Amino acid sequence: ARALNDSASNVRSEAFKTTVNLPVGGTPDAALRFALRSLHADTRREVLTEVMGEIAQPWAWPLLLDLFNDPDRQVRSEAFEFAKKKGRGKSPDPLAHALSVAQTDIRLLGAQALATKRNAAARALLLQAIADADRSVRATALDALTGDADALTQAMQSDHADVRIKAASVRARAGDEAAAAPLMAQLAETEPE
């Protein structure tokens, strides 16, 4: 464990190889999860490489999805891109999983990928994403739904003012009288200090 956190990269690399070859914890996935404790992104990237090489193993997919929350932006982005390519028919779906992780950049990548799809499953996930805590994720999801009158009608009921206003504005331009209520309610709000 100390060697996986050593300041010298060659020591960390040897410790990683030993961890995998033993395997520490008794199984390949246990060894890789042990190696993920490293504070160094290069060691965790080696875990990602191993997982990608062993993706056919039943333990590899859950471990790959766990890497969506890696502390290093590059590691989690690489994990997401690989999962997006290999994720057809996998459970859980990598795009749905991306929307549920703590890392905002991965949730945004998930919303952007869903925005390119035109199916009911993607629409349902985008409707969930308009409630995201991050404004950029919400905006991406809402932009993808601008041609969907029913989705915009639902969005006008959002807890987030930016979503309500944008959805109502789009519906108002389309002549929907129901869009007036959320816009008027926003005008009646007191100005924040």
Side-chain angles (χ1 to χ4, degrees):
R2 286 197 311 269
L4 286 168
N5 286 309
D6 197 89
S7 61
S9 63
N10 59 340
V11 173
R12 292 193 303 270
S13 180
E14 288 303 315
F16 174 76
K17 290 175 193 171
T18 304
T19 298
V20 172
N21 289 335
L22 281 177
V24 172
T27 62
D29 59 321
L32 292 173
R33 287 190 184 279
F34 181 80
L36 281 177
R37 296 180 191 174
S38 176
L39 300 174
H40 298 277
D42 60 338
T43 302
R44 295 190 313 274
R45 183 170 284 111
E46 287 189 59
V47 171
L48 174 59
T49 302
E50 284 291 318
V51 169
M52 291 188 303
E54 297 290 332
I55 199 63
Q57 298 298 321
W59 52 262
W61 187 252
L63 187 51
L64 178 66
L65 295 181
D66 287 350
L67 286 164
F68 284 15
N69 273 316
D70 191 83
D72 184 72
R73 184 183 192 109
Q74 189 63 34
V75 170
R76 61 183 180 255
S77 294
E78 288 175 24
F80 173 79
E81 291 302 325
F82 183 79
K84 190 170 74 168
K85 288 179 197 167
K86 298 289 185 181
R88 283 202 174 86
K90 295 276 189 182
S91 180
D93 176 69
L95 301 182
H97 182 72
L99 294 179
S100 68
V101 300
Q103 304 294 340
T104 303
D105 58 321
I106 296 299
R107 294 196 318 271
L108 182 58
L109 287 173
Q112 290 168 342
L114 286 165
T116 64
K117 300 187 178 303
R118 300 284 180 237
N119 59 47
R123 178 186 180 275
L125 290 170
L126 288 166
L127 279 170
Q128 290 175 16
I130 63 173
D132 194 88
D134 183 75
R135 185 183 195 110
S136 60
V137 175
R138 292 193 305 264
T140 299
L142 191 58
D143 286 345
L145 294 168
T146 54
D148 185 335
D150 292 337
L152 291 173
T153 300
Q154 289 179 40
M156 288 192 299
Q157 308 304 315
S158 173
D159 292 337
H160 299 284
D162 58 319
V163 173
R164 284 193 313 270
I165 293 167
K166 185 168 185 172
S169 298
V170 172
R171 291 304 303 144
R173 282 192 287 280
D176 184 355
E177 291 180 16
L183 293 172
M184 294 304 287
Q186 190 62 36
L187 286 173
E189 287 286 322
T190 57
E191 187 174 338
E193 293 183 21

